[in-house]
Structure formats: C-alpha cells, structure tokens
Amino acid sequence: VIVRLVIGLGVAAFVSLAGARAGALSGSGALAAIAVGTAVILGTSWPGAVVLGVFFVSSSALSRLGRPTGIAAKGSQRDAPQVLANGGVAALGGLAGLWFDGLLALALVAGALGAAAADTWATEVGSRSRTPPRLLIAWRVTAPGTSGGVTALGSLAALAGALLLGVCSSLLALLRFDAPAAGALAIGVTVGGVCGSFVDTLTGELLQERRYCPDCRQATEALVHRCGTPTLRTGGLPHLDNDAVNVLCTLTGALAAGLILILSR
Ligand SMILES: [Zn+2]
C-alpha cells in the first residue's frame, strides 16, 4: 500500500502539474486533482489511473476546442471546488478499494467519471448546437448555458462521453479481471453516466439556485456577477449551486454502476 501511495502521488502530481501548465487547472485545482488522483490510484491501481487519465484528457481537450478563439477562456480553468465537485465521488469510490474488492472500486470510479464526462461533453459540444436549448421538463426554449437546458447534439455528446468511459473501463476490467466483469462495467458505467447526466439536467432545472444581477438585469449562477455586483437569489434551493449539482450527478453515476455490477454477480 505504501508503494502504491508513493507511485499514485507521483503520477497524480505529474499529471496535475502538466494540467496546470496547460491552463486546464488553477493552482488550487491542481492540488485538489493531486488528492483525487492519489486516492483513485491507491484504491484501484493502474486501471483507475487510466480511467482518470481518459476522462481528464478528453474533457480538457473538449473544453479547449469549445472556445471559438482557440485561446483557453478564463472559465475553462478549474479551481479546487470544481475539481472536488467532479472528482470527489470518484476519489471516495477509489478509496473503497482499500476495504472492498478492486473491481467494485473501479466501477464506482468509472461510474462517477462517466457521469462527469457525459455532463462535460454535453455542455461543451451542446454549446455548438444551432438549435437553442430547451428546458427538459418545462420544454421551453432557454438561453444557451442555462442549467437544465438540453439540445439533441448535447444529449448525443453525453451518451458518447458515458460510452467512452464505459468501453474504456470495460477493456481494463477484461485485462485485470474477467469477461463477466468487463460486460458488467460496459453496461454499468455507460448507464450510470447517462443517469448521472439526466439527474444533473433535472436538478439543474428544478432545484438549482437561480440568481439575478440587479445592475445588469441578467440571470446568472454566480454569487458575485462579473460586473462586481452581488447577485440576488430568485429561485431554487439556497446553496445548491452548480458544484452541488455535479456532486449529485457523479454520485448517481457511481451508485448506478456499482449497483449494476453487484446485481450482475
Ligand atoms: Zn452585473
């Protein structure tokens, strides 16, 4: 375990610092990413590390492609709360491998990251949709970037993101465990990712806190608007912000993948 801790810390630090240099992570974001990476590798060894790498590289690449100018926008740099909101559940799932079996830990990690990937892909690819997004329940056209808004393109991208993590973790399970394990992860992680992204959309529309800048008369999710004015809450549950929604999203993905694995055995 000590050897794995040292290796995990080294690999996580190397990747996180590379991510920070590439502009994908802020300083605090890199520290949080080191903690998440170490926890995942500690409990799931190299399969978890590969899954984490696939998620991190594909999401960062999509975030950069998503900017029309090609320059990393300020918003694409993830800070510590964002990293923990997307990776915290995966870190806990990875640590489960220290007490339970490594296959269950891999399912929890990949399920959480499958949901995070589905959500990230839907946001980045969906922002290029030519048809405007609609709120899933109210089915009314809304401004691009609004939580709870869906487009056909974004939904396809969510499925693709979940599928990528499902196929990837399935191949790893085939190498490390056996064929039934690979089948269970292919289905569990893909279904978990789609369910997580669905929960993300639903809570984003129905429960997430909505705020408003009285100066600019604009809807926003920020506590302080970019103009510097503190914003007012106009609806939703207090403190249920985008980070909290992402925790619910990844938790759904992890639990669904873990449950499908347990039921399949
Ligand atoms: Zn403002």
Side-chain angles (χ1 to χ4, degrees), residues 213-218 225-229 231:
C213 171
D215 269 13
C216 310
R217 304 190 172 190
Q218 251 180 24
H225 198 223
R226 53 173 175 266
C227 66
T229 308
T231 58

Side-chain angles (χ1 to χ4, degrees), residues 51-211:
V51 169
L52 197 54
V54 167
F55 165 72
F56 184 69
V57 170
S58 67
S59 301
S60 306
L62 267 185
S63 301
R64 306 199 119 204
L65 287 177
R67 314 290 161 214
T69 49
I71 303 162
K74 207 179 168 191
S76 73
Q77 223 188 36
R78 290 173 178 233
D79 57 15
Q82 283 174 303
V83 169
L84 292 177
N86 280 290
V89 171
L92 292 178
L95 288 179
L98 292 176
W99 291 278
F100 306 102
D101 66 317
L103 179 59
L104 178 62
L106 182 62
L108 295 174
V109 167
L113 294 177
D119 180 37
T120 308
W121 284 43
T123 307
E124 298 294 347
V125 176
S127 69
R128 310 196 131 201
S129 173
R130 287 198 198 148
T131 46
R134 283 175 180 273
L135 292 171
L136 188 61
I137 300 299
W139 205 246
R140 126 175 93 66
V141 169
T142 185
T146 309
S147 287
V150 291
T151 60
L153 188 65
S155 304
L156 270 179
L159 179 62
L163 203 57
L164 173 74
L165 273 279
V167 168
C168 167
S169 59
S170 169
L171 289 174
L172 290 163
L174 193 60
L175 289 173
R176 174 95 197 230
F177 302 96
D178 51 21
L185 282 208
I187 296 169
V189 172
T190 307
V191 170
V194 171
C195 287
S197 136
F198 187 63
V199 164
D200 189 286
T201 304
L202 276 185
T203 50
E205 174 178 351
L206 302 176
L207 302 176
Q208 187 177 335
E209 184 180 65
R210 294 182 294 279
R211 307 191 69 88

